[in-house]
Structure formats: C-alpha cells, structure tokens
Amino acid sequence: MIPAHDPETPAETAQPDTTTLADVETAGTDDGDGPAAFRFQVQPEFHAIPLGAGDDEETFDEQMREFARDYWGKQEELEPVRRFTAAMYGVNSQQLAADGTLYHALGVFPIGGTADGSQSPERVSHCTLIVSVRDIDNPDPHLVAAGIAETLDQGKESGEIQLIALPAGPAVLHIAGSRAVWGLSDGGEQERFFVRIEIWMPFPSEDRLLLVCLSTADVQDLFHYQAVLADIADTIVFGDVDADVDPGTGGDDAQPLLFG
C-alpha cells in the first residue's frame, strides 16, 4: 500500500510533470581510505524514507514519525494513518538497510496539468525508489555489465534488457513486470500489476555494483517513470562526495545529504 498525496499539498496545486532535479542526494561509505563514494540527484517529488542504519531504536522511531508528519501533514485527525505509515515503512526500511540499501523514497508525481497551475493535474501517480550497493567481482565494468545483461536475460522475468552508456560508465537497463494476486474474504481474488525499472551499474574501479530500482503499480505511467529514472541515472557520479555539484543540474535549492 502506498499512501495518497500529502494533504497539505493538494493535487490541484501541485506542480505537473517536471524533469528538474532539485534535491542532491550523495551516498558513500567510510572515509577517504574506504571504498569510493557516489552521489546522485532526485526530483523534488521524492520523499526520502529513513533507513535507521546506525541509529538507536528511539532515534529511528522519531525519524519515522517525522517522515509520516512530513508526508501526511500535521492535522490531528490524521494521527492514526501517520502511526500506521511510520510502523509499516519502519519495518520495511530496517530490512532494506540490512540488505545494503542506502536510499529509499516514495515518489508522488502529478500527471497532466500545466506548469503555471492554470490546469490541474489529471491524477497523482506513485512510485518507490531504492538505491543499493552489492558486492561483485569486477575485473572490468564493461565485462560486468555484459555479464549482468546475459544473466538477467536468462532469468524468469527477463523483460526488456539493454546495455546503455551513462556519463559515469556502462550500465544495464532492465524493465520487467509482475502480477500480484491475493484472496478476498468472499472467496474471490484480487490482482494488481507492477512494473519495475532498474539500472545496474558496476563501480568504475571497485568490486561493487550500484542498483537503482524504481517500481510502481501505476503501470500506465511507465514512459513517465522511464524518463524520471533516466534523469536520475544521468546524475550518478562516482568519487569524492565533497566534489562540487554541477549547478546546472542541482539548482539553488539543492541540499547535499550523506548516507553510509
């Protein structure tokens, strides 16, 4: 279940589709003597979800409560849904962090409408973004990318697979769909379809792999989310997290954040 749009930012006044990358996200591990860091940018429509890595339980619980307040607003009548959201995403985030996730966010994108607000968006679309790092034997990024493409092609959910060249190096684009079915109390069944868009990218000079995964149940918005992920992928940079960010992509409101 993905919550609805933030009630303090009604869909009628939300900005329509945009490719502006306003929030700078940086991710890294250790210091200058450890593995190289990387950074990337995401659209302002993404709401980062705390992962709780390295935090005590009380601190993490407060982070989740703050996330729920930021997402739903502070109206008193919304406290039950805020508690549910904090608890549900809290459990999920801790599991993701244990599996190597460095960034987790919900995306809320108005679809349609005009940039000046004269026409309201037709609807609001939702997605989830997960960025993680995995260990892999990496003799050469191009060889690793080719091997990943072949492995994905032989999998059960091969989907669409394409070797691509990003500014930061070779990568693999993988698009796949899935179907979820669950039973209802009246004996019937309900189904829902999901689409997943992934970027698999070997680190340039390390035995590590960057995986950027965007998933959504709003399958009709596949082309929109392909563009969203393409914009994010173009901003991936490996190296010193203190390096200057290109002002042409970040904007004046860019806020550097450090993970890991």
Side-chain angles (χ1 to χ4, degrees):
M1 172 182 175
I2 298 178
H5 192 273
D6 183 348
E8 290 195 341
T9 308
E12 299 82 43
T13 60
Q15 290 296 315
D17 302 356
T18 175
T19 57
T20 300
L21 300 171
D23 294 330
V24 178
E25 307 296 343
T26 63
T29 59
D30 216 325
D31 52 25
D33 298 326
F38 65 94
R39 68 181 187 269
F40 58 97
Q41 295 176 289
V42 298
Q43 292 82 353
E45 287 84 358
F46 283 102
H47 299 254
I49 303 173
L51 289 168
D55 295 321
D56 58 62
E57 185 174 351
E58 183 176 347
T59 300
F60 178 60
D61 288 345
E62 177 54 35
Q63 289 174 347
M64 291 308 305
R65 287 193 292 269
E66 182 60 31
F67 162 74
R69 285 193 293 267
D70 174 67
Y71 191 84
W72 286 106
K74 299 180 180 180
Q75 296 93 323
E76 183 177 353
E77 64 272 18
L78 293 176
E79 181 58 24
V81 73
R82 284 195 296 266
R83 287 200 301 268
F84 174 77
T85 299
M88 179 178 66
Y89 285 109
V91 172
N92 189 40
S93 286
Q94 289 179 317
Q95 181 60 52
L96 288 172
D99 292 338
T101 295
L102 295 177
Y103 182 74
H104 182 206
L106 292 177
V108 182
F109 287 83
I111 303 297
T114 55
D116 60 8
S118 59
Q119 294 184 9
S120 300
E122 300 170 3
R123 54 192 172 80
V124 175
S125 183
H126 301 82
C127 70
T128 299
L129 179 66
I130 295 176
V131 179
S132 60
V133 171
R134 303 181 181 185
D135 294 329
I136 189 172
D137 185 16
N138 182 12
D140 177 84
H142 290 85
L143 292 177
V144 173
I148 291 171
E150 182 177 354
T151 301
L152 291 172
D153 188 48
Q154 296 175 355
K156 294 181 179 179
E157 298 180 356
S158 57
E160 179 181 339
I161 300 163
Q162 182 178 352
L163 284 166
I164 59 176
L166 296 175
V172 179
L173 171 66
H174 180 215
I175 304 175
S178 59
R179 172 176 173 263
V181 179
W182 56 93
L184 301 176
S185 57
D186 60 3
E189 291 184 341
Q190 185 171 345
E191 67 176 4
R192 195 169 191 183
F193 293 90
F194 299 85
V195 65
R196 186 175 70 256
I197 314 170
E198 301 171 339
I199 298 290
W200 297 71
M201 190 171 193
F203 276 63
S205 58
E206 287 190 50
D207 291 335
R208 297 202 297 166
L209 176 71
L210 178 65
L211 174 58
V212 183
C213 178
L214 188 154
S215 60
T216 180
D218 294 323
V219 296
Q220 71 273 27
D221 298 323
L222 172 61
F223 293 147
H224 170 76
Y225 286 121
Q226 283 183 267
V228 168
L229 188 57
D231 284 337
I232 295 173
D234 280 343
T235 70
I236 296 173
V237 177
F238 294 97
D240 184 4
V241 295
D242 293 327
D244 292 336
V245 176
D246 180 0
T249 56
D252 295 336
D253 296 330
Q255 298 180 358
L257 302 174
L258 179 64
F259 297 85

Short mmCIF file of all heavy atoms in Angstrom, two decimals, residues 31-92:
data_model
loop_
_atom_site.label_atom_id
_atom_site.label_comp_id
_atom_site.label_asym_id
_atom_site.label_seq_id
_atom_site.Cartn_x
_atom_site.Cartn_y
_atom_site.Cartn_z
N ASP A 31 35.44 6.72 4.95
CA ASP A 31 36.08 8.00 4.67
C ASP A 31 36.98 7.86 3.45
O ASP A 31 36.81 6.99 2.63
CB ASP A 31 36.87 8.48 5.89
CG ASP A 31 37.81 7.39 6.40
OD1 ASP A 31 38.19 6.53 5.59
OD2 ASP A 31 38.16 7.43 7.60
N GLY A 32 37.97 8.74 3.35
CA GLY A 32 38.82 8.72 2.17
C GLY A 32 39.62 7.45 2.01
O GLY A 32 40.10 7.14 0.93
N ASP A 33 39.81 6.69 3.09
CA ASP A 33 40.56 5.44 2.99
C ASP A 33 39.69 4.24 2.67
O ASP A 33 40.18 3.14 2.48
CB ASP A 33 41.31 5.17 4.31
CG ASP A 33 42.33 6.26 4.61
OD1 ASP A 33 42.90 6.80 3.63
OD2 ASP A 33 42.52 6.58 5.80
N GLY A 34 38.39 4.45 2.65
CA GLY A 34 37.47 3.34 2.40
C GLY A 34 37.03 3.33 0.95
O GLY A 34 37.59 4.01 0.09
N PRO A 35 36.01 2.54 0.64
CA PRO A 35 35.51 2.44 -0.73
C PRO A 35 35.06 3.80 -1.25
O PRO A 35 34.59 4.64 -0.49
CB PRO A 35 34.33 1.47 -0.60
CG PRO A 35 34.59 0.70 0.65
CD PRO A 35 35.29 1.67 1.57
N ALA A 36 35.21 4.01 -2.54
CA ALA A 36 34.82 5.28 -3.14
C ALA A 36 33.33 5.52 -2.97
O ALA A 36 32.53 4.59 -3.02
CB ALA A 36 35.19 5.28 -4.62
N ALA A 37 32.98 6.76 -2.78
CA ALA A 37 31.58 7.13 -2.62
C ALA A 37 30.95 7.38 -3.99
O ALA A 37 31.62 7.35 -5.02
CB ALA A 37 31.47 8.37 -1.75
N PHE A 38 29.67 7.66 -3.98
CA PHE A 38 28.98 8.06 -5.19
C PHE A 38 27.88 9.03 -4.79
O PHE A 38 27.49 9.10 -3.63
CB PHE A 38 28.40 6.87 -5.95
CG PHE A 38 27.30 6.13 -5.20
CD1 PHE A 38 25.97 6.45 -5.42
CD2 PHE A 38 27.60 5.15 -4.29
CE1 PHE A 38 24.96 5.79 -4.74
CE2 PHE A 38 26.60 4.49 -3.59
CZ PHE A 38 25.28 4.81 -3.83
N ARG A 39 27.41 9.78 -5.75
CA ARG A 39 26.32 10.70 -5.48
C ARG A 39 25.37 10.71 -6.67
O ARG A 39 25.73 10.31 -7.78
CB ARG A 39 26.83 12.11 -5.18
CG ARG A 39 27.48 12.84 -6.34
CD ARG A 39 27.98 14.21 -5.91
NE ARG A 39 28.44 14.99 -7.03
CZ ARG A 39 29.69 15.01 -7.48
NH1 ARG A 39 30.59 14.24 -6.89
NH2 ARG A 39 30.03 15.75 -8.49
N PHE A 40 24.16 11.18 -6.43
CA PHE A 40 23.16 11.25 -7.48
C PHE A 40 22.14 12.29 -7.08
O PHE A 40 22.17 12.79 -5.96
CB PHE A 40 22.48 9.89 -7.70
CG PHE A 40 21.81 9.34 -6.47
CD1 PHE A 40 20.44 9.51 -6.26
CD2 PHE A 40 22.53 8.65 -5.52
CE1 PHE A 40 19.83 9.02 -5.12
CE2 PHE A 40 21.92 8.16 -4.37
CZ PHE A 40 20.56 8.35 -4.18
N GLN A 41 21.24 12.61 -7.98
CA GLN A 41 20.20 13.60 -7.71
C GLN A 41 18.82 13.00 -7.98
O GLN A 41 18.67 12.13 -8.85
CB GLN A 41 20.40 14.83 -8.59
CG GLN A 41 21.68 15.59 -8.30
CD GLN A 41 21.88 16.74 -9.26
OE1 GLN A 41 22.17 16.53 -10.43
NE2 GLN A 41 21.73 17.94 -8.78
N VAL A 42 17.84 13.46 -7.21
CA VAL A 42 16.47 13.02 -7.43
C VAL A 42 15.55 14.22 -7.57
O VAL A 42 15.86 15.32 -7.13
CB VAL A 42 15.96 12.13 -6.26
CG1 VAL A 42 16.80 10.87 -6.14
CG2 VAL A 42 15.96 12.91 -4.95
N GLN A 43 14.40 14.00 -8.20
CA GLN A 43 13.41 15.05 -8.37
C GLN A 43 12.79 15.42 -7.02
O GLN A 43 12.73 14.59 -6.11
CB GLN A 43 12.33 14.59 -9.34
CG GLN A 43 12.79 14.43 -10.79
CD GLN A 43 13.48 13.11 -11.06
OE1 GLN A 43 13.75 12.32 -10.15
NE2 GLN A 43 13.75 12.84 -12.32
N PRO A 44 12.31 16.65 -6.88
CA PRO A 44 11.71 17.07 -5.61
C PRO A 44 10.43 16.33 -5.25
O PRO A 44 9.95 16.43 -4.13
CB PRO A 44 11.44 18.58 -5.82
CG PRO A 44 11.40 18.75 -7.30
CD PRO A 44 12.36 17.75 -7.87
N GLU A 45 9.87 15.57 -6.19
CA GLU A 45 8.65 14.79 -5.89
C GLU A 45 8.93 13.58 -5.01
O GLU A 45 7.98 12.92 -4.55
CB GLU A 45 8.00 14.33 -7.20
CG GLU A 45 7.31 15.43 -7.99
CD GLU A 45 8.25 16.22 -8.87
OE1 GLU A 45 9.47 15.95 -8.85
OE2 GLU A 45 7.77 17.12 -9.58
N PHE A 46 10.19 13.27 -4.75
CA PHE A 46 10.52 12.12 -3.91
C PHE A 46 10.59 12.51 -2.44
O PHE A 46 11.17 13.53 -2.09
CB PHE A 46 11.86 11.50 -4.35
CG PHE A 46 11.76 10.66 -5.58
CD1 PHE A 46 12.20 11.16 -6.82
CD2 PHE A 46 11.22 9.38 -5.53
CE1 PHE A 46 12.10 10.39 -7.96
CE2 PHE A 46 11.13 8.61 -6.67
CZ PHE A 46 11.56 9.10 -7.89
N HIS A 47 10.00 11.66 -1.59
CA HIS A 47 10.03 11.82 -0.13
C HIS A 47 10.95 10.74 0.44
O HIS A 47 10.60 9.55 0.44
CB HIS A 47 8.62 11.66 0.47
CG HIS A 47 7.63 12.68 -0.03
ND1 HIS A 47 7.19 13.73 0.74
CD2 HIS A 47 7.00 12.80 -1.24
CE1 HIS A 47 6.33 14.46 0.04
NE2 HIS A 47 6.20 13.91 -1.15
N ALA A 48 12.11 11.13 0.92
CA ALA A 48 13.07 10.16 1.45
C ALA A 48 12.54 9.51 2.71
O ALA A 48 11.97 10.16 3.59
CB ALA A 48 14.40 10.85 1.74
N ILE A 49 12.70 8.19 2.81
CA ILE A 49 12.26 7.42 3.97
C ILE A 49 13.48 7.05 4.81
O ILE A 49 14.45 6.50 4.27
CB ILE A 49 11.53 6.14 3.53
CG1 ILE A 49 10.35 6.49 2.62
CG2 ILE A 49 11.05 5.34 4.74
CD1 ILE A 49 9.68 5.27 2.01
N PRO A 50 13.48 7.34 6.11
CA PRO A 50 14.64 6.99 6.95
C PRO A 50 14.91 5.49 6.93
O PRO A 50 13.99 4.68 6.88
CB PRO A 50 14.21 7.44 8.35
CG PRO A 50 13.15 8.48 8.12
CD PRO A 50 12.43 8.04 6.87
N LEU A 51 16.20 5.14 6.96
CA LEU A 51 16.60 3.74 6.96
C LEU A 51 17.02 3.27 8.34
O LEU A 51 17.06 2.07 8.61
CB LEU A 51 17.73 3.51 5.96
CG LEU A 51 17.33 3.61 4.49
CD1 LEU A 51 18.56 3.66 3.60
CD2 LEU A 51 16.44 2.45 4.10
N GLY A 52 17.41 4.17 9.21
CA GLY A 52 17.75 3.81 10.58
C GLY A 52 19.09 3.14 10.76
O GLY A 52 19.39 2.62 11.84
N ALA A 53 19.92 3.11 9.72
CA ALA A 53 21.22 2.45 9.82
C ALA A 53 22.09 3.18 10.84
O ALA A 53 22.36 4.36 10.71
CB ALA A 53 21.90 2.42 8.46
N GLY A 54 22.53 2.46 11.87
CA GLY A 54 23.41 3.03 12.88
C GLY A 54 22.71 3.83 13.95
O GLY A 54 23.36 4.32 14.88
N ASP A 55 21.40 3.96 13.88
CA ASP A 55 20.65 4.72 14.87
C ASP A 55 20.03 3.79 15.91
O ASP A 55 19.70 2.65 15.61
CB ASP A 55 19.52 5.52 14.20
CG ASP A 55 20.05 6.59 13.26
OD1 ASP A 55 21.06 7.22 13.60
OD2 ASP A 55 19.45 6.78 12.18
N ASP A 56 19.88 4.29 17.14
CA ASP A 56 19.20 3.50 18.15
C ASP A 56 17.71 3.50 17.86
O ASP A 56 17.20 4.28 17.04
CB ASP A 56 19.49 4.04 19.55
CG ASP A 56 19.07 5.50 19.71
OD1 ASP A 56 17.86 5.80 19.59
OD2 ASP A 56 19.94 6.35 19.95
N GLU A 57 17.00 2.61 18.52
CA GLU A 57 15.57 2.41 18.22
C GLU A 57 14.75 3.67 18.46
O GLU A 57 13.87 4.01 17.66
CB GLU A 57 15.02 1.26 19.07
CG GLU A 57 13.58 0.90 18.75
CD GLU A 57 13.11 -0.33 19.50
OE1 GLU A 57 13.96 -1.00 20.14
OE2 GLU A 57 11.91 -0.61 19.46
N GLU A 58 15.05 4.39 19.54
CA GLU A 58 14.27 5.60 19.85
C GLU A 58 14.48 6.67 18.78
O GLU A 58 13.52 7.32 18.35
CB GLU A 58 14.68 6.14 21.22
CG GLU A 58 13.87 7.35 21.67
CD GLU A 58 14.25 7.80 23.07
OE1 GLU A 58 14.94 7.04 23.77
OE2 GLU A 58 13.84 8.91 23.46
N THR A 59 15.73 6.84 18.35
CA THR A 59 16.02 7.83 17.32
C THR A 59 15.34 7.47 16.00
O THR A 59 14.75 8.33 15.33
CB THR A 59 17.54 7.94 17.10
OG1 THR A 59 18.17 8.35 18.32
CG2 THR A 59 17.86 8.95 16.00
N PHE A 60 15.40 6.19 15.64
CA PHE A 60 14.79 5.75 14.39
C PHE A 60 13.27 5.93 14.44
O PHE A 60 12.66 6.37 13.45
CB PHE A 60 15.14 4.29 14.12
CG PHE A 60 14.51 3.75 12.87
CD1 PHE A 60 14.77 4.31 11.63
CD2 PHE A 60 13.65 2.65 12.93
CE1 PHE A 60 14.19 3.81 10.47
CE2 PHE A 60 13.08 2.15 11.78
CZ PHE A 60 13.35 2.73 10.55
N ASP A 61 12.65 5.60 15.57
CA ASP A 61 11.20 5.77 15.69
C ASP A 61 10.81 7.23 15.51
O ASP A 61 9.80 7.53 14.86
CB ASP A 61 10.73 5.27 17.06
CG ASP A 61 10.77 3.75 17.17
OD1 ASP A 61 10.87 3.09 16.12
OD2 ASP A 61 10.70 3.23 18.30
N GLU A 62 11.60 8.13 16.05
CA GLU A 62 11.30 9.55 15.89
C GLU A 62 11.48 9.99 14.44
O GLU A 62 10.71 10.81 13.93
CB GLU A 62 12.20 10.39 16.81
CG GLU A 62 12.00 11.90 16.67
CD GLU A 62 10.55 12.34 16.84
OE1 GLU A 62 9.82 11.74 17.67
OE2 GLU A 62 10.15 13.29 16.15
N GLN A 63 12.50 9.44 13.77
CA GLN A 63 12.70 9.75 12.36
C GLN A 63 11.50 9.31 11.53
O GLN A 63 11.05 10.02 10.62
CB GLN A 63 13.97 9.06 11.85
CG GLN A 63 15.25 9.65 12.38
CD GLN A 63 16.46 8.84 11.98
OE1 GLN A 63 16.34 7.70 11.49
NE2 GLN A 63 17.64 9.40 12.15
N MET A 64 10.96 8.13 11.85
CA MET A 64 9.80 7.64 11.10
C MET A 64 8.57 8.48 11.40
O MET A 64 7.75 8.73 10.51
CB MET A 64 9.55 6.17 11.44
CG MET A 64 10.61 5.20 10.93
SD MET A 64 10.98 5.38 9.17
CE MET A 64 9.36 5.21 8.42
N ARG A 65 8.41 8.90 12.64
CA ARG A 65 7.26 9.76 12.97
C ARG A 65 7.37 11.09 12.23
O ARG A 65 6.36 11.62 11.74
CB ARG A 65 7.19 9.99 14.49
CG ARG A 65 6.72 8.77 15.27
CD ARG A 65 6.38 9.15 16.71
NE ARG A 65 7.56 9.52 17.46
CZ ARG A 65 8.30 8.68 18.17
NH1 ARG A 65 7.97 7.39 18.22
NH2 ARG A 65 9.36 9.09 18.84
N GLU A 66 8.59 11.62 12.12
CA GLU A 66 8.79 12.88 11.40
C GLU A 66 8.52 12.70 9.90
O GLU A 66 7.93 13.57 9.26
CB GLU A 66 10.22 13.37 11.62
CG GLU A 66 10.52 14.71 10.94
CD GLU A 66 9.64 15.84 11.45
OE1 GLU A 66 9.23 15.80 12.63
OE2 GLU A 66 9.34 16.75 10.65
N PHE A 67 8.94 11.55 9.36
CA PHE A 67 8.63 11.26 7.96
C PHE A 67 7.12 11.23 7.73
O PHE A 67 6.61 11.80 6.76
CB PHE A 67 9.25 9.91 7.56
CG PHE A 67 8.64 9.33 6.32
CD1 PHE A 67 8.93 9.86 5.07
CD2 PHE A 67 7.76 8.24 6.39
CE1 PHE A 67 8.36 9.32 3.91
CE2 PHE A 67 7.21 7.70 5.25
CZ PHE A 67 7.50 8.24 4.01
N ALA A 68 6.39 10.57 8.62
CA ALA A 68 4.94 10.47 8.47
C ALA A 68 4.29 11.84 8.59
O ALA A 68 3.33 12.16 7.86
CB ALA A 68 4.37 9.52 9.52
N ARG A 69 4.80 12.69 9.51
CA ARG A 69 4.24 14.05 9.65
C ARG A 69 4.51 14.87 8.40
O ARG A 69 3.65 15.62 7.93
CB ARG A 69 4.84 14.74 10.88
CG ARG A 69 4.30 14.24 12.21
CD ARG A 69 4.70 15.17 13.35
NE ARG A 69 6.15 15.15 13.57
CZ ARG A 69 6.76 14.36 14.45
NH1 ARG A 69 6.03 13.51 15.19
NH2 ARG A 69 8.05 14.41 14.62
N ASP A 70 5.72 14.73 7.86
CA ASP A 70 6.07 15.48 6.66
C ASP A 70 5.22 15.04 5.47
O ASP A 70 4.82 15.85 4.64
CB ASP A 70 7.56 15.30 6.36
CG ASP A 70 7.97 15.93 5.04
OD1 ASP A 70 7.93 17.17 4.95
OD2 ASP A 70 8.32 15.19 4.10
N TYR A 71 4.95 13.74 5.42
CA TYR A 71 4.23 13.21 4.26
C TYR A 71 2.74 13.49 4.33
O TYR A 71 2.13 13.91 3.34
CB TYR A 71 4.49 11.71 4.16
CG TYR A 71 4.01 11.11 2.85
CD1 TYR A 71 4.82 11.18 1.72
CD2 TYR A 71 2.77 10.51 2.75
CE1 TYR A 71 4.39 10.65 0.51
CE2 TYR A 71 2.34 9.98 1.54
CZ TYR A 71 3.14 10.06 0.43
OH TYR A 71 2.71 9.55 -0.76
N TRP A 72 2.13 13.25 5.48
CA TRP A 72 0.68 13.36 5.61
C TRP A 72 0.22 14.73 6.09
O TRP A 72 -0.95 15.08 5.92
CB TRP A 72 0.16 12.31 6.59
CG TRP A 72 0.14 10.93 6.03
CD1 TRP A 72 1.01 9.91 6.32
CD2 TRP A 72 -0.78 10.39 5.06
NE1 TRP A 72 0.70 8.78 5.60
CE2 TRP A 72 -0.40 9.05 4.83
CE3 TRP A 72 -1.86 10.92 4.38
CZ2 TRP A 72 -1.09 8.23 3.93
CZ3 TRP A 72 -2.54 10.10 3.49
CH2 TRP A 72 -2.15 8.78 3.28
N GLY A 73 1.10 15.50 6.70
CA GLY A 73 0.68 16.74 7.32
C GLY A 73 0.46 16.54 8.82
O GLY A 73 0.58 15.43 9.34
N LYS A 74 0.17 17.61 9.53
CA LYS A 74 0.11 17.57 10.99
C LYS A 74 -1.31 17.64 11.55
O LYS A 74 -1.50 17.84 12.76
CB LYS A 74 0.94 18.72 11.56
CG LYS A 74 2.41 18.64 11.15
CD LYS A 74 3.22 19.79 11.71
CE LYS A 74 4.68 19.68 11.30
NZ LYS A 74 5.51 20.80 11.82
N GLN A 75 -2.32 17.48 10.70
CA GLN A 75 -3.70 17.52 11.20
C GLN A 75 -3.92 16.43 12.23
O GLN A 75 -3.51 15.28 12.05
CB GLN A 75 -4.69 17.37 10.05
CG GLN A 75 -4.63 18.51 9.03
CD GLN A 75 -3.71 18.20 7.88
OE1 GLN A 75 -2.67 17.58 8.07
NE2 GLN A 75 -4.09 18.61 6.69
N GLU A 76 -4.59 16.77 13.31
CA GLU A 76 -4.79 15.84 14.42
C GLU A 76 -5.55 14.59 13.99
O GLU A 76 -5.24 13.48 14.43
CB GLU A 76 -5.55 16.55 15.55
CG GLU A 76 -5.74 15.68 16.78
CD GLU A 76 -6.43 16.45 17.90
OE1 GLU A 76 -6.62 17.67 17.76
OE2 GLU A 76 -6.78 15.81 18.92
N GLU A 77 -6.52 14.75 13.10
CA GLU A 77 -7.35 13.60 12.69
C GLU A 77 -6.56 12.58 11.87
O GLU A 77 -7.03 11.45 11.66
CB GLU A 77 -8.57 14.08 11.91
CG GLU A 77 -8.27 14.76 10.58
CD GLU A 77 -8.05 16.26 10.73
OE1 GLU A 77 -7.80 16.71 11.87
OE2 GLU A 77 -8.15 16.97 9.72
N LEU A 78 -5.38 12.95 11.40
CA LEU A 78 -4.56 12.03 10.60
C LEU A 78 -3.56 11.23 11.43
O LEU A 78 -2.76 10.48 10.87
CB LEU A 78 -3.81 12.81 9.51
CG LEU A 78 -4.68 13.44 8.41
CD1 LEU A 78 -3.82 14.26 7.47
CD2 LEU A 78 -5.44 12.37 7.65
N GLU A 79 -3.60 11.38 12.74
CA GLU A 79 -2.64 10.68 13.58
C GLU A 79 -2.69 9.16 13.41
O GLU A 79 -1.63 8.51 13.34
CB GLU A 79 -2.86 11.05 15.05
CG GLU A 79 -1.90 10.37 16.03
CD GLU A 79 -0.44 10.68 15.71
OE1 GLU A 79 -0.17 11.70 15.07
OE2 GLU A 79 0.43 9.88 16.12
N PRO A 80 -3.87 8.53 13.31
CA PRO A 80 -3.88 7.06 13.11
C PRO A 80 -3.15 6.62 11.85
O PRO A 80 -2.39 5.65 11.86
CB PRO A 80 -5.38 6.73 13.05
CG PRO A 80 -6.02 7.81 13.83
CD PRO A 80 -5.23 9.04 13.53
N VAL A 81 -3.36 7.33 10.73
CA VAL A 81 -2.70 6.94 9.49
C VAL A 81 -1.22 7.26 9.56
O VAL A 81 -0.38 6.56 8.96
CB VAL A 81 -3.37 7.61 8.27
CG1 VAL A 81 -3.05 9.09 8.18
CG2 VAL A 81 -2.97 6.91 6.97
N ARG A 82 -0.84 8.31 10.29
CA ARG A 82 0.58 8.59 10.46
C ARG A 82 1.26 7.48 11.25
O ARG A 82 2.37 7.06 10.91
CB ARG A 82 0.78 9.94 11.18
CG ARG A 82 0.55 11.15 10.29
CD ARG A 82 1.11 12.41 10.93
NE ARG A 82 0.43 12.74 12.16
CZ ARG A 82 -0.59 13.58 12.26
NH1 ARG A 82 -1.05 14.18 11.17
NH2 ARG A 82 -1.15 13.84 13.42
N ARG A 83 0.61 6.99 12.30
CA ARG A 83 1.20 5.90 13.09
C ARG A 83 1.34 4.63 12.24
O ARG A 83 2.35 3.93 12.30
CB ARG A 83 0.34 5.61 14.33
CG ARG A 83 0.44 6.67 15.41
CD ARG A 83 -0.02 6.11 16.75
NE ARG A 83 -1.40 5.64 16.69
CZ ARG A 83 -2.45 6.37 17.00
NH1 ARG A 83 -2.29 7.63 17.40
NH2 ARG A 83 -3.66 5.88 16.93
N PHE A 84 0.31 4.35 11.45
CA PHE A 84 0.36 3.16 10.58
C PHE A 84 1.49 3.29 9.56
O PHE A 84 2.25 2.34 9.32
CB PHE A 84 -0.98 2.99 9.86
CG PHE A 84 -0.98 1.90 8.84
CD1 PHE A 84 -1.06 0.57 9.22
CD2 PHE A 84 -0.90 2.19 7.48
CE1 PHE A 84 -1.06 -0.45 8.28
CE2 PHE A 84 -0.89 1.18 6.53
CZ PHE A 84 -0.98 -0.14 6.93
N THR A 85 1.61 4.46 8.95
CA THR A 85 2.67 4.69 7.95
C THR A 85 4.05 4.54 8.57
O THR A 85 4.93 3.88 8.01
CB THR A 85 2.52 6.10 7.34
OG1 THR A 85 1.26 6.21 6.68
CG2 THR A 85 3.63 6.38 6.34
N ALA A 86 4.26 5.13 9.75
CA ALA A 86 5.56 5.05 10.41
C ALA A 86 5.91 3.62 10.75
O ALA A 86 7.06 3.18 10.57
CB ALA A 86 5.55 5.92 11.67
N ALA A 87 4.94 2.85 11.25
CA ALA A 87 5.21 1.46 11.63
C ALA A 87 5.48 0.60 10.40
O ALA A 87 6.43 -0.20 10.38
CB ALA A 87 4.03 0.90 12.41
N MET A 88 4.67 0.75 9.36
CA MET A 88 4.80 -0.09 8.17
C MET A 88 6.13 0.16 7.46
O MET A 88 6.88 -0.78 7.16
CB MET A 88 3.64 0.18 7.21
CG MET A 88 3.72 -0.64 5.92
SD MET A 88 2.29 -0.34 4.85
CE MET A 88 2.55 1.38 4.41
N TYR A 89 6.44 1.41 7.20
CA TYR A 89 7.67 1.72 6.49
C TYR A 89 8.90 1.56 7.39
O TYR A 89 10.01 1.35 6.88
CB TYR A 89 7.60 3.13 5.90
CG TYR A 89 6.72 3.19 4.68
CD1 TYR A 89 5.50 3.83 4.72
CD2 TYR A 89 7.13 2.59 3.49
CE1 TYR A 89 4.67 3.87 3.60
CE2 TYR A 89 6.31 2.63 2.36
CZ TYR A 89 5.09 3.27 2.43
OH TYR A 89 4.28 3.31 1.32
N GLY A 90 8.71 1.66 8.70
CA GLY A 90 9.83 1.45 9.61
C GLY A 90 10.37 0.03 9.52
O GLY A 90 11.58 -0.19 9.42
N VAL A 91 9.48 -0.95 9.55
CA VAL A 91 9.90 -2.35 9.45
C VAL A 91 10.55 -2.61 8.09
O VAL A 91 11.61 -3.25 8.00
CB VAL A 91 8.69 -3.29 9.64
CG1 VAL A 91 9.08 -4.73 9.35
CG2 VAL A 91 8.15 -3.16 11.06
N ASN A 92 9.95 -2.10 7.03
CA ASN A 92 10.48 -2.32 5.70
C ASN A 92 11.85 -1.66 5.53
O ASN A 92 12.77 -2.25 4.94
CB ASN A 92 9.51 -1.75 4.67
CG ASN A 92 9.89 -2.12 3.25
OD1 ASN A 92 10.32 -3.22 2.97
ND2 ASN A 92 9.73 -1.17 2.34
#
